[in-house]
Amino acid sequence: MVHGTTSLRFADQVSERAAARTVSGVWTTLDGDRTWGSLAAATGLRDLLVAVRAEGGWCADPHRADVLLRRLVSLRAAALAVATRQGSRISPVLSRQAARYGIPLLTATAGMSWQRLAQDVSDQRHREDLHRADRLGELLDVLRHGPRPDTVQRLTDWLADATGATVALVGPAGTPITTVPAGSWPQLAGAFEMIAEIRAGGSPAVPDPGGVPLALHAIGPRAPHHVLAVMGVQPFAREARESIAQAAGLFALALQSQQAEAGRTHARATQNALKLAVFQLLTVGETDGARRCAEAISPGLLDAPNATVHLLEVPPGERDQAERECAGRLHGKALALRCPASADRLIVVEPSHDRNSAHEADTLARVLRQISADGPGRLLRRGTTVPVAETARSHREASRALAIARLRRDQSADIGPSSQLATVLDGRAAHWARNLLQPLLQLPPETRDPLTSTLRIFVRFPGAQAANVLGLHRHTVTTRTAAATTLLGLDLGNAHTRALLDLALQLQSRIPPSTAARAAPTLAELLGQPAARAWAREFLARLGHDNADLRTTVQTWLACHGNVGHSAERLGVHSQTVRSRLRRAEQVLRRRLVGGASSVCDPLFAFAALGELELELADWTRPEDPAH
């Protein structure tokens, strides 16, 4: 009968000389004049069975039992067999001590053969090997798929189950990261001081407060350490001590892996923030600052004089994967970042040396088209190639094209510059824009540029999205917008005024640097140009080809400043009918009318150019500054 288990590695076989003898011939009485020290000289005991009689009371003496068992451990004895009288039991003192030292304890009777004892030890060894294999298999399952967020918790659960003890992993700050059983941290109160000492890099001499079995391990190469604390209800057997040592090493690897992953996550977040900062500088025309920041991402990234903005929209949950694909295939030749205004969109800024190059033959464009084709439900659209300082315009065009493509799910057509009103107006349009923006243009650049860039985004995006695109707090956007509109004398709560300002900002890059005085035309005069009227007829003809109700609905909605309820009332239909027609109109006009990144400038002025809509402020002009 075996009274203890152990993880001690037994010898492959017992001595043939010992196996040939019987127990009855070698029983030794460890009492009387026989000294304990005589065992030290018995070097032949190494890897052999040791048989003793249970006479003389030594089994019940903790000190004498401890001396024997420690000596057997030093000699690597395979097991201890104790001869007892029929029906008697081994002392609990000896059983506990044997379990603590990991010495297999067997009972025998005089006359039992060595072969029988050897077989008992072999059977016990086999059972323990199977048990150890099961435990290591469980540990392998914890680590099979590499580091995961729950690896530390799973290791803690495994160790608590393997040792039957209370297990806690304490962080460098002294607070428990995980405990098993849950809520058992107060049970370790007696070890708090020692845990604190180990965290600080010390090593307490006796980690055994109040006689309670306790194992403490410092985790990590430098203080302050994590600390693995294991508190048992009885002395740890050798198997338990091995499990604790194995787990301590694996905790160190798991924590190191977590720290490395946290570092990689921080590095990615830093790079993403840097990319966003570069894009935001580009959208406000700060090309020098953008190029300096881009050097930290990829040297020479924005050295080209021109840029094209591509927008890639992916199904929910796929943006991270698409971002990795872009990073892997673009090789630092373009700026790819997450759109701050849309959680399902990537922005790619492609540098270009030739504004007239064909995108179909361009390597980066082909790569982006391949990425778009790699996943169902992906949409790719681009703006025109523009000077780097006008990146915001290419982004605006790409946003408009993507909005329409989303509605149509038709990837066949990009939006071209010829379909925008600003591109068909003649040179007098620049003087009109300068007249409207004059109070802003007269400000010093350090004041003017932030206000202008904020307005440029604000007229296109709702307030919250505008703040995200610019990387500013929404209160900052509100403050800047209020300051600019007060200076200009405009009310952006009026949809017609927003469109007016949108057109002027589109024309800003065409304003000549000359200070020669020249009268500015009115907007009505600009819209009355033959080229503008021809553009308006072609633009609105799309509505008529589909359904006459669409044209009437869009015209009424624009006249009502985008108010669906008022439009429905005037048309005599339900509000939902108006919304449905507007969505259909977005498809045929290729303009986003409702929601984020709306673009009502072109349809509004098209109706006005044909005399089908009366604009507020159409004849408004600002008195010319005498300096001009």
Side-chain angles (χ1 to χ4, degrees), residues 21-46:
R21 304 173 64 183
T22 62
V23 176
S24 60
V26 296
W27 292 126
T28 303
T29 300
L30 299 176
D31 215 351
D33 295 332
R34 185 174 181 84
T35 63
W36 292 93
S38 65
L39 285 171
T43 57
L45 290 177
R46 183 178 299 276

Side-chain angles (χ1 to χ4, degrees), residues 1-6 95 98-99 102-106 124 128:
M1 175 180 180
V2 178
H3 284 264
T5 59
T6 180
S95 296
I103 296 292
L105 185 60
L106 301 93
Q124 175 67 9
E128 291 171 356

Side-chain angles (χ1 to χ4, degrees), residues 405-428:
R406 187 190 308 114
L407 294 169
R408 296 170 61 92
R409 305 307 297 180
D410 172 14
Q411 303 187 38
S412 61
D414 282 323
I415 190 165
S418 61
S419 61
Q420 302 172 54
L421 173 62
T423 62
V424 302
L425 296 175
D426 63 18
R428 291 185 299 165

